[in-house]
Amino acid sequence: MIQLSDKIQKLETSATLAMASKTRELKAEGKDIIGLSLGEPDFNTPDFIREAAIQAINDNYNSYSPVDGYEDLKRAVQLKFNRDNNLDYNLNQIVVSTGAKQSLYNIASVVLNPGDEVILPCPYWVSYKDMVKLNEGVAVEVQTDIEQDFKMTADQLRSAITPKTKMLWYSSPCNPSGSVYTEEELRALAEVLKDYPNIVVVSDEIYEHINFGEKKTFSMGEIDFMYDRTVTVNGVSKAFAMTGWRIGYIGAPEKIANACKKLQGQVTSGANCIAQRAVITALEAPVEKIQFMIDKFKSRRKLILDLISGIQGFECNEPMGAFYVFPNISFYFGKTFNGKKIENATDFSMFLLEVANVATVTGEAFGNPNCIRISYAASEANIVEALERIKKSLT
């Protein structure tokens, strides 16, 4: 009999992908499901990027690409980091991968040893914890709540650090809460980390441009004494509507970048050559070229927050970035609707799928058992209809 490895048997299935799969199954059965579970822009990739990909095909880009990315793409990444984040990386500090997800997994693989602890402010993106687990690390979850806008404080960080702490991982803007750490908040965290020079920080900035505040997203690496121990992770999936193109990248201390390149050379080699050529055009373009999508997300945010405010028992912060709301729905725990008793966020999410025909994601997958994640990367018509269905199912 075939025996699978212990690590794969312990691995959880991605909750967002599992819900997306379930949604597709129900739609195939003829059910009218509104999907608000996936973090995927509902826009087409902008024409100027698609045209660059077509040109790359016509220019016969069809060979293996360099493991860490084409040099001119790395120069475009270098330009982007400098222009948007005040970060100066040399080309040896940049590694291009098959999506930011691979970038994150690479980092965990080359930094963690068995038993190393990784601090994860909750809520966190679903894959962080399992990436740590796959690499024999230990996830240390730091709980936050709506009152603190789902952001970890300096005191909480200090309390979470032990002699085994190896890394701190966070996203800003955050998936799933939409919270954005301010410069002052990150500097406060950095002051704590000053006393622990061996802790590596992983700053996931994939939603960087989808920021509704007056100030740009601040990067931990901009702080002088944090630059040499911060890995800045980004990609083109979200802001450029390029989820399927699978290109992510890092700016990192050279030792970590070289290790990621070494690992990637044995696992996937270089990322898709056509996608890489298109991303050069995307990153070199001014942010104004994608502003129309950001503006649309902002108007949808207002719409969904207005609708949620009319549903009893939904408590929600005002997300300053990304395209999610993360309401606390614990008001409904212990209650029964349509013969279904709701004990936790997973029950609630499944109730909405089965009764309201709306797909969301349980907050348990993000480290918060009292919330659900709702994506507003959907048409306004679908958002209105989905929230109406949810409200009706709970009355």
Side-chain angles (χ1 to χ4, degrees):
M1 185 169 64
I2 295 172
Q3 293 290 331
L4 297 177
S5 67
D6 291 341
K7 67 179 181 181
I8 198 63
Q9 292 186 71
K10 293 177 182 177
L11 185 68
E12 298 290 336
T13 300
S14 167
T16 52
L17 298 182
M19 183 59 83
S21 177
K22 181 67 174 176
T23 299
R24 285 192 292 269
E25 288 178 15
L26 292 174
K27 284 184 175 181
E29 293 172 5
K31 293 191 176 181
D32 178 23
I33 306 295
I34 298 177
L36 301 182
S37 61
L38 270 184
E40 182 167 38
D42 60 322
F43 299 99
N44 292 323
T45 303
D47 288 345
F48 74 99
I49 299 173
R50 294 159 58 189
E51 289 164 5
I54 293 168
Q55 186 61 51
I57 294 171
N58 291 335
D59 289 342
N60 295 313
Y61 277 92
N62 51 31
S63 302
Y64 287 129
S65 61
V67 170
D68 54 342
Y70 288 118
E71 182 172 324
D72 47 354
L73 172 54
K74 291 173 67 175
R75 290 194 184 282
V77 171
Q78 183 184 51
L79 169 70
K80 175 261 173 297
F81 274 135
N82 186 274
R83 178 192 66 206
D84 300 337
N85 311 107
N86 299 319
L87 293 171
D88 291 315
Y89 291 113
N90 66 50
L91 296 190
N92 290 332
Q93 293 178 275
I94 294 169
V95 179
V96 177
S97 302
T98 304
K101 183 179 280 190
Q102 184 184 19
S103 298
L104 289 162
Y105 186 83
N106 285 349
I107 297 162
S109 294
V110 306
V111 173
L112 293 178
N113 285 313
D116 285 343
E117 293 179 354
V118 180
I119 295 174
L120 301 179
C122 300
Y124 48 75
W125 181 51
V126 292
S127 293
Y128 289 170
K129 184 176 180 179
D130 283 287
M131 287 180 181
V132 171
K133 185 191 301 184
L134 270 174
N135 288 284
E136 300 184 76
V138 177
V140 177
E141 301 183 26
V142 177
Q143 292 297 328
T144 67
D145 55 34
I146 287 178
E147 284 66 34
Q148 62 195 97
D149 197 27
F150 294 115
K151 291 184 281 190
M152 180 178 66
T153 66
D155 287 341
Q156 285 181 304
L157 173 59
R158 189 178 294 279
S159 296
I161 294 173
T162 76
K164 293 183 178 180
T165 304
K166 192 70 171 286
M167 289 200 290
L168 162 65
W169 277 24
Y170 69 92
S171 60
S172 180
C174 175
N175 175 3
S177 70
S179 304
V180 179
Y181 281 93
T182 66
E183 177 178 350
E184 293 72 25
E185 289 164 340
L186 288 179
R187 287 191 181 277
L189 297 179
E191 284 299 315
V192 174
L193 294 170
K194 201 183 245 187
D195 296 333
Y196 304 92
N198 295 324
I199 296 177
V200 174
V201 174
V202 178
S203 177
D204 182 351
E205 302 179 9
I206 191 73
Y207 293 92
E208 167 196 18
H209 292 308
I210 308 174
N211 179 352
F212 310 124
E214 294 181 0
K215 295 182 179 180
K216 72 175 183 66
T217 302
F218 186 79
S219 297
M220 180 73 85
E222 291 184 66
I223 302 171
D224 288 345
F225 62 87
M226 292 303 300
Y227 173 83
D228 289 330
R229 49 196 287 212
T230 299
V231 184
T232 307
V233 181
N234 213 318
V236 295
S237 292
K238 309 302 182 179
F240 294 91
M242 297 177 71
T243 51
W245 298 67
R246 309 311 304 137
I247 298 292
Y249 53 85
I250 63 170
E254 200 162 320
K255 188 173 184 178
I256 292 177
N258 286 338
C260 288
K261 178 181 176 181
K262 180 181 180 181
L263 173 68
Q264 196 162 292
Q266 294 289 12
V267 178
T268 59
S269 297
N272 179 285
C273 60
I274 303 302
Q276 285 196 58
R277 305 312 301 174
V279 171
I280 295 172
T281 296
L283 294 183
E284 288 180 344
V287 176
E288 288 73 23
K289 296 273 279 188
I290 57 171
Q291 188 64 43
F292 72 97
M293 289 188 280
I294 300 167
D295 292 341
K296 197 67 176 176
F297 287 133
K298 187 174 183 178
S299 67
R300 291 174 182 175
R301 178 189 65 157
K302 182 181 185 308
L303 172 64
I304 198 167
L305 286 175
D306 287 345
L307 294 170
I308 282 177
S309 69
I311 302 178
Q312 182 185 24
F314 275 55
E315 183 184 2
C316 201
N317 67 320
E318 181 180 14
M320 294 307 295
F323 37 66
Y324 310 106
V325 288
F326 198 60
N328 184 313
I329 43 78
S330 58
F331 171 85
Y332 291 99
F333 295 174
K335 293 180 169 59
T336 299
F337 296 90
N338 286 56
K340 296 179 182 292
K341 189 171 184 180
I342 297 168
E343 299 285 6
N344 49 49
T346 299
D347 287 349
F348 191 81
S349 186
M350 290 306 299
F351 168 81
L352 294 183
L353 179 65
E354 295 169 359
V355 176
N357 287 344
V358 177
T360 61
V361 187
T362 172
E364 292 187 43
F366 302 95
N368 187 311
N370 294 322
C371 299
I372 61 170
R373 190 189 78 173
I374 305 174
S375 169
Y376 54 87
S379 69
E380 292 187 1
N382 276 348
I383 292 170
V384 171
E385 174 64 20
L387 271 293
E388 181 59 33
R389 290 183 186 182
I390 291 173
K391 184 175 182 179
K392 185 177 180 181
S393 73
L394 297 170
T395 55

